[in-house]
Amino acid sequence: LTIRYLRPAIIIITQFGSFKMVTSFLQAALSLSACLCLFPIESLALKCGIKGVTMPCIGDTDVRYNPNISYDLKEQNDFWKAIEGLYVLDQCDYDANGSPQSKGYIRGLGEELGFGSFDFCNTKAFMNLTVDGSRLYTHRYQVSKFNNDGANGLVLPGLVVPIDAYSTSTFEKNGEVYQLGTQLGIPMEEGAVFAIEDDPAKMTPVGERSLLGTIVYDDLQTYENQYCVDLNCNKFSTYSEQYILPDDGSDLYFDRFTRMNGKKVDEVTWMKEFDQTLIDFNVPAPESAVGPFASNPWFVKPFDPSTEVKHPKCITAVCPTEDDWRVSDPVYGSSPYIEPDGVLTGGFIAGVTIATIVVAVSIFYFIYKRGVEARERRIKKGVLESISLTMSITTQKELTPIDLGNMFKKIDVDGNGNLSKDEMKEMVDNAGVANISDRDYDILFNAIDLDHNGTLDFIEFCAFFASIPVSSETGKGSDQENDKLVEKV
């Protein structure tokens, strides 16, 4: 780029300047170009996207780099605005072969123990989805009815399984969430703490109505699709498949799948229907519980919906602390997607280079022109002094056409009516006044030789005298006096 735009300037200076001047100009121009080439690396103060100056910002096309896109889930995808709310759902679990689990057993309490079964295909689910900035809170109660088939007439209350799931938005800023952790049921032991998942599940909105994700809890992996039937998500549907990872390290196997369908309701309706379900499914209050599981929180009311205004925020009693949230919440983290500093465009660099070259050429030309003019004056002065000594003339005012003719004839050694470069040089050298180099002779003679034929005729000789500003030693002539001399000649 530098050589391309410097070529005209190099030609000009090569024609009129010395080799040293050309070398100096090239060094200066190449140094400038090198600085400009390095400038994009050092332009830490520049911002991207300055029109005509720096390259476009990556964040213009990639939201991950855009600082104006927040980690707020509702701002990233309208799905989170629609899905937030309270839901009453009908849930049915199916065996891997597609049979409804109308007679299902709690894991660890199989049929052989005689505790009886539960109807997992007529389960009622009460879900609360809350989106708060970068955080997603999912709370769900699943209530299943006992089938009254316990050994020896054993009757158990309904089963209440609380589930808490906590998720956060990501540095991707595409609306997906990473699951911080899931708590299934209220732990029997005291002092249980929230467990952060080592390999967090990811759930991604698809369009504005669907959510796809993977949920991992202990040895159970669930692949789930949540779907809003309408844009406002007033009707809600979920399909999930559960796989179990055996303790012996063998491959996952398909265990069951689940379907849920329901509707979004207000809080009053949600609390009323939850209370009625607890009554219908024979779930007692803690103080009224009897039987082998009277002290088990899975078989008693988690709270009293008939008297409480709101349900607990953390329904499993195992809640993440703020330090737990910091592990996943991007608000507390440092994004790996940092918009780099501005990089100058090629057009801007070329423009600055050309503009600087123009200025540099102008400066060099000015200096060169002044130098040529000074050299020309010095040479002319030396020639005039040589002629004055040879002809015994002190000022231009004394010159007449006859004097000029005599001078011309005396210098014209071969008498051909034209002065050659050698004849002029011999006259000046013989006078011994001016020490003029061969290059200076060439410059002088080219300036005098108006028709550039290699010799000086009488008219060109007279014009040369008229152009000489005489110094104090040879008589000081003004421009007006020179003009009169030309007219006289």
Side-chain angles (χ1 to χ4, degrees):
L1 178 66
T2 302
I3 296 301
R4 175 182 176 186
Y5 290 107
L6 283 180
R7 188 166 179 261
I10 294 172
I11 292 174
I12 294 172
I13 295 181
T14 303
Q15 290 181 346
F16 298 102
S18 64
F19 176 77
K20 183 177 181 181
M21 181 179 291
V22 174
T23 304
S24 299
F25 175 79
L26 281 174
Q27 288 177 343
L30 291 174
S31 297
L32 168 66
S33 178
C35 290
L36 288 172
C37 290
L38 294 174
F39 190 68
I41 302 175
E42 301 298 332
S43 57
L44 299 179
L46 287 179
K47 292 184 179 180
C48 61
I50 302 176
K51 187 175 181 180
V53 178
T54 56
M55 299 293 287
C57 297
I58 300 176
D60 293 342
T61 55
D62 190 334
V63 296
R64 297 175 299 176
Y65 292 88
N66 192 336
N68 297 321
I69 303 298
S70 73
Y71 296 117
D72 191 308
L73 289 169
K74 293 180 182 178
E75 293 181 9
Q76 294 177 12
N77 195 296
D78 289 338
F79 174 82
W80 298 114
K81 298 178 183 177
I83 199 174
E84 185 177 37
L86 298 167
Y87 294 87
V88 176
L89 306 166
D90 294 315
Q91 175 177 329
C92 182
D93 293 344
Y94 298 86
D95 290 329
N97 60 11
S99 301
Q101 288 188 354
S102 300
K103 191 175 182 180
Y105 295 90
I106 301 174
R107 293 178 64 183
L109 298 177
E111 181 179 6
E112 67 279 3
L113 297 179
F115 288 104
S117 63
F118 293 84
D119 187 354
F120 292 137
C121 195
N122 286 293
T123 296
K124 295 290 288 187
F126 297 85
M127 184 171 65
N128 176 21
L129 288 173
T130 303
V131 180
D132 184 9
S134 59
R135 300 178 182 182
L136 170 65
Y137 303 81
T138 304
H139 308 292
R140 186 169 76 226
Y141 292 102
Q142 295 178 180
V143 187
S144 301
K145 193 172 186 178
F146 184 63
N147 285 323
N148 294 320
D149 57 355
N152 302 318
L154 176 66
V155 177
L156 296 178
L159 177 67
V160 181
V161 180
I163 303 173
D164 284 325
Y166 303 94
S167 308
T168 68
S169 62
T170 71
F171 291 120
E172 302 298 317
K173 297 183 179 180
N174 59 355
E176 70 182 11
V177 296
Y178 282 160
Q179 198 165 78
L180 178 66
T182 301
Q183 178 63 39
L184 177 63
I186 299 175
M188 298 298 295
E189 67 278 8
E190 295 184 2
V193 296
F194 184 79
I196 298 175
E197 295 180 4
D198 295 331
D199 186 16
K202 181 173 70 174
M203 302 182 71
T204 306
V206 179
E208 298 179 358
R209 295 191 183 186
S210 184
L211 184 69
L212 299 176
T214 303
I215 301 171
V216 180
Y217 183 77
D218 290 338
D219 61 348
L220 181 66
Q221 293 190 12
T222 301
Y223 299 91
E224 187 169 277
N225 175 27
Q226 300 178 8
Y227 179 72
C228 294
V229 179
D230 58 88
L231 288 176
N232 294 322
C233 217
N234 292 317
K235 293 183 178 181
F236 184 76
S237 177
T238 296
Y239 172 80
S240 61
E241 295 181 351
Q242 289 83 37
Y243 294 79
I244 291 181
L245 180 63
D247 294 335
D248 59 9
S250 56
D251 293 339
L252 287 169
Y253 66 87
F254 183 38
D255 180 56
R256 65 184 186 275
F257 63 94
T258 302
R259 295 185 184 277
M260 288 192 293
N261 296 282
K263 60 184 179 179
K264 184 185 291 186
V265 298
D266 58 40
E267 190 164 18
V268 173
T269 303
W270 193 89
M271 298 287 276
K272 182 178 180 180
E273 292 201 23
F274 188 30
D275 181 55
Q276 189 60 50
T277 298
L278 293 175
I279 294 173
D280 294 342
F281 286 19
N282 192 32
V283 180
E287 62 273 12
S288 304
V290 294
F293 299 106
S295 60
N296 193 313
W298 292 44
F299 295 94
V300 295
K301 291 182 179 181
F303 69 98
D304 191 348
S306 64
T307 58
E308 299 288 341
V309 178
K310 293 181 179 291
H311 67 80
K313 287 186 176 182
C314 182
I315 62 179
T316 60
V318 180
C319 311
T321 65
E322 196 62 27
D323 287 339
D324 293 331
W325 282 110
R326 290 176 183 272
V327 173
S328 176
D329 195 337
V331 172
Y332 291 109
S334 178
S335 174
Y337 307 108
I338 304 299
E339 184 75 59
D341 295 305
V343 177
L344 295 176
T345 63
F348 179 78
I349 295 175
V352 173
T353 302
I354 294 171
T356 308
I357 290 172
V358 169
V359 174
V361 169
S362 300
I363 294 173
F364 273 107
Y365 177 73
F366 176 77
I367 296 173
Y368 169 74
K369 184 178 180 182
R370 293 296 298 271
V372 170
E373 291 174 350
R375 177 186 293 176
E376 186 177 317
R377 287 194 299 270
R378 178 175 57 81
I379 297 171
K380 287 182 178 180
K381 176 184 174 183
V383 172
L384 183 58
E385 288 177 347
S386 298
I387 294 174
S388 298
L389 290 174
T390 303
M391 303 297 179
S392 300
I393 298 173
T394 57
T395 66
Q396 288 177 340
K397 293 181 180 180
E398 300 176 1
L399 292 176
T400 66
I402 296 175
D403 293 330
L404 291 172
N406 292 332
M407 287 184 196
F408 187 84
K409 290 178 181 179
K410 187 173 182 179
I411 299 173
D412 184 14
V413 177
D414 58 11
N416 65 353
N418 290 293
L419 302 181
S420 67
K421 187 186 300 184
D422 292 336
E423 289 173 332
M424 288 288 293
K425 183 175 184 298
E426 183 178 357
M427 181 271 297
V428 175
D429 289 344
N430 290 337
V433 175
N435 183 17
I436 302 176
S437 66
D438 291 340
R439 178 176 175 80
D440 289 342
Y441 278 119
D442 292 338
I443 294 174
L444 172 64
F445 200 84
N446 289 334
I448 301 173
D449 185 12
L450 301 179
D451 57 9
H452 302 294
N453 64 353
T455 61
L456 302 181
D457 57 24
F458 185 65
I459 297 299
E460 290 172 325
F461 182 73
C462 294
F464 164 65
F465 268 87
S467 67
I468 300 176
V470 184
S471 67
S472 59
E473 295 181 1
T474 59
K476 189 172 184 180
S478 66
D479 291 339
Q480 293 179 350
E481 292 171 343
N482 292 337
D483 293 339
K484 291 179 181 178
L485 177 61
V486 173
E487 292 175 0
K488 187 177 180 180
V489 173

